[in-house]
Amino acid sequence: ALCGKTLQGRASGSLGESLANRYVWEQLDKGSKKEKLSYRFTVQGKTVNSEMVTAFIDRKSSNTILVGAHIDHLGLGGELSKSPGKNEVHPGADDNASGVAMLIELHDYFIEHNSTYNLLFVAYTGHELGLHGSEHLSKHWKKRWKELYQVYNFDMIGRMDTLQPKLIYSSNSDKNPLHPSKSFQLKKEDSQRCETLDTKHFLSVPCYTFTTGTHLDYHKISDLPEYLNYQGLYEQFLFFRELLAR
């Protein structure tokens, strides 16, 4: 649904992004405190109006884990497109419908299952134009969400290699080492991705950003749903739900 032509590539501030937000809002199961955060930012002299969907699961803890994935993409292309001359929908199935799908599934799982900490799920917008959504969230953290404890970010997790499956992560912390998976290799990179993606604005706490790696369809009109590894996504779901429960 997030990759459909009616969403027109989910460009920041567009009708397609608004429709994507509506889809996420409707998909989130009942039981959390949902809210839309409206904000605006300026890019190349133009004001962009956007909003983000948030869902808070309150475990009565003083600490909260932020779970995020950006929902916006390139729309019909533009300067960031790697399909030159193509004024067509850039579906962004891996970038980052895959991450948003994981966010929705984990949210619905934890409505029914316990976690040690509160969980705040956020579908970031403004990512492709400069991480504006996560920046806004970091500057407008609401007291009712309690103290930020850790941050997890999913960005392009849908193309796990079928022959040598691995999940790559970047972190600014060595605390609470991640448990291994029986289904894929867990590979740690340096902290660069953690410092340049949506975790960038939360580095005062332990942050982790996950990916299955880049590919030849990145930022192209060929980033399509049929190329996703759905079994790999399921194995990651099992891994992340155990990670967030502890």
Side-chain angles (χ1 to χ4, degrees):
L2 290 175
C3 306
K5 289 188 176 182
T6 56
L7 271 61
Q8 293 290 290
R10 311 185 304 277
S12 292
S14 69
L15 174 61
E17 180 186 79
S18 179
L19 292 173
N21 283 332
R22 182 188 301 176
Y23 172 80
V24 172
W25 182 273
E26 293 173 349
Q27 288 296 306
L28 296 177
D29 199 356
K30 296 179 180 179
S32 64
K33 300 175 182 178
K34 295 190 294 184
E35 182 179 0
K36 294 180 181 178
L37 301 181
S38 298
Y39 70 105
R40 63 180 57 185
F41 57 92
T42 302
V43 177
Q44 297 179 345
K46 296 183 179 180
T47 299
V48 178
N49 295 296
S50 188
E51 66 180 11
M52 295 181 291
V53 174
T54 72
F56 183 58
I57 298 179
D58 191 353
R59 299 299 189 210
K60 309 304 179 183
S61 169
S62 59
N63 292 310
T64 296
I65 295 177
L66 168 61
V67 185
H70 77 87
I71 195 170
D72 61 303
H73 194 47
L74 303 186
L76 300 180
E79 294 180 359
L80 296 176
S81 172
K82 295 184 180 298
S83 292
K86 298 289 187 180
N87 186 37
E88 299 178 24
V89 172
H90 287 55
D94 189 27
D95 187 16
N96 186 35
S98 63
V100 175
M102 183 64 69
L103 183 147
I104 292 171
E105 291 300 318
L106 287 169
H107 169 275
D108 289 354
Y109 175 83
F110 282 106
I111 291 296
E112 303 293 337
H113 298 83
N114 289 330
S115 61
T116 301
Y117 301 105
N118 312 317
L119 300 172
L120 178 67
F121 295 88
V122 181
Y124 301 124
T125 55
H127 168 92
E128 299 289 2
L129 297 182
L131 311 180
H132 296 284
S134 52
E135 180 180 20
H136 177 82
L137 184 72
S138 70
K139 293 179 177 179
H140 297 84
W141 187 266
K142 299 181 183 299
K143 290 183 178 180
R144 64 174 173 275
W145 295 335
K146 314 298 176 57
E147 192 74 21
L148 181 61
Y149 177 65
Q150 287 181 339
V151 179
Y152 294 90
N153 184 55
F154 310 133
D155 197 344
M156 296 179 62
I157 58 172
R159 294 282 196 102
M160 181 172 281
D161 192 299
T162 55
L163 297 178
Q164 294 181 315
K166 66 176 178 291
L167 179 64
I168 304 163
Y169 76 99
S170 177
S171 178
N172 64 334
S173 174
D174 291 324
K175 294 181 179 179
N176 299 324
L178 304 182
H179 62 274
S181 168
K182 295 180 181 179
S183 302
F184 52 79
Q185 175 192 0
L186 194 62
K187 181 181 178 181
K188 184 178 182 181
E189 292 187 331
D190 59 33
S191 61
Q192 182 180 4
R193 281 177 56 82
C194 198
E195 295 165 359
T196 57
L197 295 178
D198 286 302
T199 43
K200 171 183 178 180
H201 299 293
F202 304 100
L203 295 176
S204 60
V205 301
C207 295
Y208 303 82
T209 187
F210 298 91
T211 182
T212 51
T214 191
H215 45 76
L216 294 178
D217 299 309
Y218 170 69
H219 277 198
K220 293 182 179 179
I221 60 175
S222 52
D223 185 5
L224 297 166
E226 51 260 41
Y227 299 137
L228 297 181
N229 179 350
Y230 292 97
Q231 181 62 34
L233 281 166
Y234 177 70
E235 298 296 344
Q236 289 177 75
F237 167 74
L238 298 179
F239 172 80
F240 290 134
R241 77 181 192 186
E242 183 177 346
L243 181 64
L244 291 173
R246 67 183 189 180

